Amino acid sequence: MQATEEAIRSVVQEVLSQLNKRGGYGSAPQQDGDWGVFNSVDQAVAAANEAQKQLLNSSLENRAKALEIVRQICDSQADELGRLELEETKIGRLDHKIEKLKLIKSIPGMEFMRTEAVSGDNGISITEYAPFGVIGAITPVTHSLPTLACNFINMVASGNTLVVNPHPGGAKIACEGVRRFNQAIYQATGLQNLVTILKTPTLETADAIFNHRGVPLLCVTGGPGVARAALAAKKRAIVAGPGNPPVVVDETADIDNAAKSIIIGAAYDNNLLCIGEKEVFAVESIFNELMSAMGRHGGYQLNSQQVAQLTSLAFSPPTEPGGHAVLNRDLIGKDASVLAGLIGVSVPAGTQLLYGETDTNNPFVPEEQMMPFVPFIRCRNANHGIELAKEFEHGFRHTSMIHSRNIETITKMGRIMDTTLFVQNGPCGAALGNGGEGYGSFSIATPTGEGVTNPMTFTRFRRSTTVGHFRVI
């Protein structure tokens, strides 16, 4: 298998090299669409259905080439593509935009696929995991191209194709990625339109995909609104919904490691990650020590007046009694220095995260804000911290973290929180193989229970039974 993988990698590198020599992408003829970019849902779905038929009739070697092409484009062109994504979306950090694209090379592919067999006196049964067909995918503005590329690898590895309705705020970079993927794949394999995309995505085009007869499965990565819409569709949906990940720090924790981990996770791409540390509940006895440690690892502490100023800029009062505070979306994903500057604070160069003490009434605690400020709340003890973490995670069962060396406390929190991802003594990214064990994904399906998606997520069970034969032992 190693020789085959090396041969595939060599072919892919040669194809990408030839494309670059000819002056980039889009130079070879394309019959339908603009290398997978379409103006209507019907056109995009029709092309994806035709591509799925071609994929199933093609070799597994060609399928492997397609996956390797997407990995190599994301890796070798990460600087350019990451810059284009930041220029379009204007949220997050360039270094992390680039890193997220490079992480695509570790997304699991065909190696996750398996065939199972059971034999006995009555013959043999083989279980295989088959594709659904065309998958309708919704991608977020927070990680537009990385999510699309990750979905491509997971879905095509299992024999599916996909039609994408990107978030309008990240549509240009998503379309550019689709063009590059499709042309390189066509040059290497002859396969066309393994991924198609809407050039001008809207709520209407998303709804059309949700209800299209040519799309048997949905995969939605985004906020609560689009998640609810997908769950209301009359077909199976794999939904990566919202989160508000809490962190508990108890008196037994390694305080320096806790502070460092919180900075790494919450500051990543300016806290755009759905798994990112959003609020910290620290026990009274180590609270001040933790606040000091945060400053040593790249954080800047705001005083109570500065926290109040930032809060008033980040949120407006609820529009109705008992409603949610209204988030100022202009501040999402901005640098810590930008947020600080808005309240007249000059922070040292290299400051990654703002933080400050609040109580639970501050809207930064209950709301899934996506900016590099983290509220810290004092707790009487670890049990109190877990109780608050449970309350403000809101039952999303997405992600939670704890810093503790007390195995009983860790176990208790894991059971009470019941989150899809539960990280102990590390940053949030460790749950997705970035500093911890396991594989990664940009779609974490919490409401529908699939968890960290992989190629097997997008398959259906098929059993073939032969009666009385094929048992040769």
Side-chain angles (χ1 to χ4, degrees):
M1 183 63 183
Q2 183 63 34
T4 302
E5 290 177 354
E6 290 176 357
I8 288 171
R9 197 168 294 116
S10 176
V11 169
V12 169
Q13 289 172 346
E14 178 62 23
V15 168
L16 295 179
S17 174
Q18 290 300 319
L19 286 171
N20 288 332
K21 287 178 181 177
R22 287 202 301 267
Y25 295 81
S27 55
Q30 168 73 341
Q31 294 179 352
D32 301 312
D34 177 18
W35 292 109
V37 180
F38 289 88
N39 291 314
S40 81
V41 170
D42 284 341
Q43 289 176 324
V45 173
N49 269 288
E50 180 59 33
Q52 205 260 337
K53 293 175 186 176
Q54 293 177 16
L55 180 63
L56 293 185
N57 288 324
S58 187
S59 65
L60 293 179
E61 182 180 2
N62 277 343
R63 191 182 303 185
K65 286 179 185 177
L67 304 187
E68 185 62 22
I69 282 167
V70 171
R71 291 188 178 108
Q72 287 205 22
I73 287 176
C74 289
D75 185 51
S76 65
Q77 300 174 33
D79 288 4
E80 178 193 3
L81 293 171
R83 188 186 71 254
L84 290 173
E85 179 152 344
L86 182 59
E87 288 174 354
E88 180 184 5
T89 65
K90 297 178 174 59
I91 58 175
R93 290 171 44 174
L94 179 58
D95 55 339
H96 292 155
K97 298 295 185 197
I98 293 169
E99 183 177 314
K100 284 190 289 185
L101 286 164
K102 288 185 171 292
L103 288 172
I104 296 300
K105 62 179 176 287
S106 64
I107 297 299
M110 291 169 62
E111 69 277 9
F112 262 55
M113 299 300 296
R114 64 179 185 266
T115 300
E116 300 162 356
V118 177
S119 66
D121 291 339
N122 294 321
I124 190 168
S125 286
I126 297 175
T127 299
E128 296 181 291
Y129 294 88
F132 273 84
V134 174
I135 300 175
I138 307 295
T139 56
V141 68
T142 47
H143 331 286
S144 183
L145 186 54
T147 303
L148 188 154
C150 171
N151 286 344
F152 180 99
I153 290 173
N154 281 175
M155 295 171 185
V156 174
S158 48
N160 301 283
T161 55
L162 57 158
V163 56
V164 180
N165 196 91
H167 188 287
K172 290 180 181 179
I173 183 59
C175 289
E176 179 61 21
V178 165
R179 291 186 190 98
R180 297 189 186 201
F181 298 163
N182 278 334
Q183 185 180 353
I185 290 167
Y186 175 73
Q187 294 293 331
T189 68
L191 295 169
Q192 292 190 66
N193 296 324
L194 295 186
V195 53
T196 64
I197 191 168
L198 274 300
K199 183 177 182 180
T200 308
T202 63
L203 291 175
E204 289 73 24
T205 57
D207 186 65
I209 289 173
F210 289 168
N211 295 287
H212 203 289
R213 293 183 66 181
V215 179
L217 179 66
L218 303 175
C219 179
V220 172
T221 309
V226 70
R228 285 192 297 270
L231 290 170
K234 295 179 180 179
K235 61 185 66 175
R236 185 182 169 196
I238 295 166
V239 179
N244 192 41
V247 186
V248 170
V249 185
D250 78 3
E251 69 280 1
T252 71
D254 179 332
I255 300 302
D256 267 322
N257 178 64
K260 182 179 179 181
S261 297
I262 293 166
I263 294 286
I264 290 172
Y268 195 90
D269 210 19
N270 288 340
N271 213 354
L272 293 180
L273 295 180
C274 59
I275 64 171
E277 290 83 343
K278 296 295 191 288
E279 62 276 342
V280 177
F281 302 100
V283 302
E284 174 71 37
S285 61
I286 53 86
F287 189 90
N288 292 337
E289 183 183 356
L290 177 62
M291 297 295 268
S292 296
M294 291 288 294
R296 294 195 297 272
H297 290 283
Y300 183 91
Q301 184 174 355
L302 301 182
N303 61 35
S304 58
Q305 181 181 358
Q306 291 164 343
V307 169
Q309 287 179 284
L310 181 60
T311 302
S312 67
L313 290 177
F315 296 95
S316 300
T319 56
E320 55 187 35
H324 290 273
V326 180
L327 178 64
N328 181 353
R329 297 191 174 275
D330 290 339
L331 301 189
I332 289 176
K334 300 304 181 187
D335 290 344
S337 60
V338 172
L339 297 182
L342 293 173
I343 57 172
V345 175
S346 178
V347 298
T351 296
Q352 299 186 62
L353 187 73
L354 306 178
Y355 66 101
E357 182 175 358
T358 75
D359 59 27
T360 56
N361 293 318
N362 187 294
F364 272 107
V365 180
E367 303 299 333
E368 189 194 15
Q369 46 81 15
M370 291 177 284
M371 58 188 77
F373 171 81
V374 173
F376 280 65
I377 300 91
R378 291 178 189 263
C379 305
R380 295 186 301 274
N381 50 44
N383 287 338
H384 185 214
I386 294 171
E387 177 185 320
L388 292 175
K390 177 69 172 178
E391 177 182 354
F392 290 100
E393 202 273 332
H394 304 306
F396 292 141
R397 295 196 293 182
H398 197 294
T399 301
S400 58
M401 285 139 286
I402 187 171
H403 291 272
S404 172
R405 287 181 278 203
N406 185 324
I407 193 67
E408 292 182 1
T409 300
I410 293 172
T411 302
K412 181 176 184 178
M413 181 168 172
R415 288 174 176 169
I416 290 174
M417 296 303 297
D418 194 24
T419 48
T420 300
L421 304 180
F422 180 47
V423 181
Q424 309 96 49
N425 301 316
C428 62
L432 299 179
N434 193 5
E437 295 300 324
Y439 63 90
S441 174
F442 283 88
S443 295
I444 317 299
T446 48
T448 50
E450 292 83 3
V452 184
T453 57
N454 63 64
M456 291 292 289
T457 305
F458 305 101
T459 61
R460 58 191 184 89
F461 180 104
R462 288 186 62 188
R463 176 179 289 173
S464 174
T465 300
T466 301
V467 179
H469 295 282
F470 287 159
R471 177 175 170 83
V472 296
I473 297 174

